[in-house]
Amino acid sequence: LAASVSAADLRKASNVVAVRFTPGEHGLMWDEDRRVTSSVLQGWMRGVRAGWTVIAVSGVKVQTDEELAELLEKAASGAGRYELLLEKGQGSFGTEAKERQDKEKRNRVRLKKFFSFQCGIDRVEHRGMTCEQLDRVLDYAWRYSEMWYDSAPAKHSKTSGQPLNMDILNLHHLNAWIIMPATRPRKCSMVEMLCQKPQPPDWFISHWWGD
């Protein structure tokens, strides 16, 4: 589709569909070409599928994923309904969804082999972690992070939907791919997967989640 045509002209194309959304979570993730990589919640219920490309938000054409993120966040946080124009792509939703499910399943299997429950530590202040134990977590990330993707919504992450690597990896990614899946079965802390007794720390280091 030519970039010079208007949003009204785009609407006339046979492979373009208009989808109406209500304010709130839209459930869409996309890549740098504005191609939908995941559709859940409203997106899925309203028929949007992976492989489609977003070309306009509320009558405004978008050329970059940054423009799309900005316009869609503004529309989703507004008071009224809004419309997306999407160019239909190949029906690859099932394939992409299965690939992602397979990646997550393989990761859970690897985690069980790499980290196993060691001991329960009742007192939170005794859940210190040594540098060697942190290195085990990082070692896992070094080995497998290039098999992961950023699962965060586009409004929360600039790399949403993109493949990950150690150059862009942050604590949100580690939480999604290591900490949560490793600790969820036992509902424990990560350090309880790494040590065999309580570990009162010598130092406390805090952090900010706004990476």
Side-chain angles (χ1 to χ4, degrees):
L1 292 174
S4 60
V5 298
S6 68
D9 291 331
L10 291 173
R11 185 189 294 272
K12 300 175 184 177
S14 60
N15 63 335
V16 170
V17 294
V19 183
R20 302 272 293 179
F21 284 77
T22 57
E25 290 290 340
H26 47 72
L28 300 180
M29 294 173 61
W30 56 86
D31 61 18
E32 60 185 5
D33 296 317
R34 297 169 287 109
R35 186 176 296 107
V36 176
T37 58
S38 176
S39 178
V40 298
L41 302 174
Q42 279 200 78
W44 174 258
M45 295 298 294
R46 298 181 188 283
V48 179
R49 298 295 181 259
W52 295 12
T53 301
V54 183
I55 54 179
V57 178
S58 297
V60 180
K61 291 190 299 180
V62 291
Q63 301 293 334
T64 68
D65 61 322
E66 290 87 358
E67 290 177 356
L68 173 56
E70 181 179 350
L71 287 172
L72 195 50
E73 181 176 2
K74 181 179 180 180
S77 60
R81 291 165 63 89
Y82 59 96
E83 182 181 81
L84 299 186
L85 290 185
L86 299 105
E87 180 183 10
K88 287 186 176 181
Q90 298 298 319
S92 58
F93 178 82
T95 300
E96 292 185 7
K98 187 177 186 306
E99 287 178 354
R100 293 196 170 195
Q101 289 175 354
D102 289 344
K103 282 185 178 182
E104 293 169 3
K105 182 177 180 180
R106 288 194 295 269
N107 184 63
R108 290 194 297 269
V109 172
R110 285 193 298 265
L111 283 169
K112 289 181 179 179
K113 296 178 179 178
F114 213 88
F115 304 105
S116 60
F117 185 76
Q118 301 296 313
C119 73
I121 303 175
D122 294 332
R123 299 178 63 178
V124 176
E125 65 270 25
H126 287 175
R127 295 177 184 172
M129 188 176 290
T130 67
C131 291
E132 290 78 9
Q133 290 161 354
L134 282 172
D135 282 340
R136 282 192 60 195
V137 177
L138 288 176
D139 180 48
Y140 186 89
W142 273 107
R143 293 189 189 193
Y144 301 114
S145 61
E146 292 188 0
M147 302 179 186
W148 305 341
Y149 64 92
D150 189 343
S151 58
K155 68 178 182 179
H156 294 153
S157 176
K158 294 180 180 179
T159 57
S160 176
Q162 298 180 22
L164 295 175
N165 59 64
M166 292 301 289
D167 291 333
I168 62 174
L169 205 69
N170 60 41
L171 188 55
H172 294 283
H173 303 140
L174 292 179
N175 189 55
W177 286 94
I178 300 180
I179 299 172
M180 290 304 295
T183 60
R184 187 178 291 115
R186 294 297 299 258
K187 297 182 179 179
C188 63
S189 67
M190 190 65 197
V191 72
E192 291 172 310
M193 309 292 286
L194 297 165
C195 68
Q196 297 181 347
K197 61 181 181 180
Q199 295 183 156
D202 294 320
W203 297 90
F204 173 76
I205 302 175
S206 186
H207 68 282
W208 177 51
W209 275 92
D211 298 296

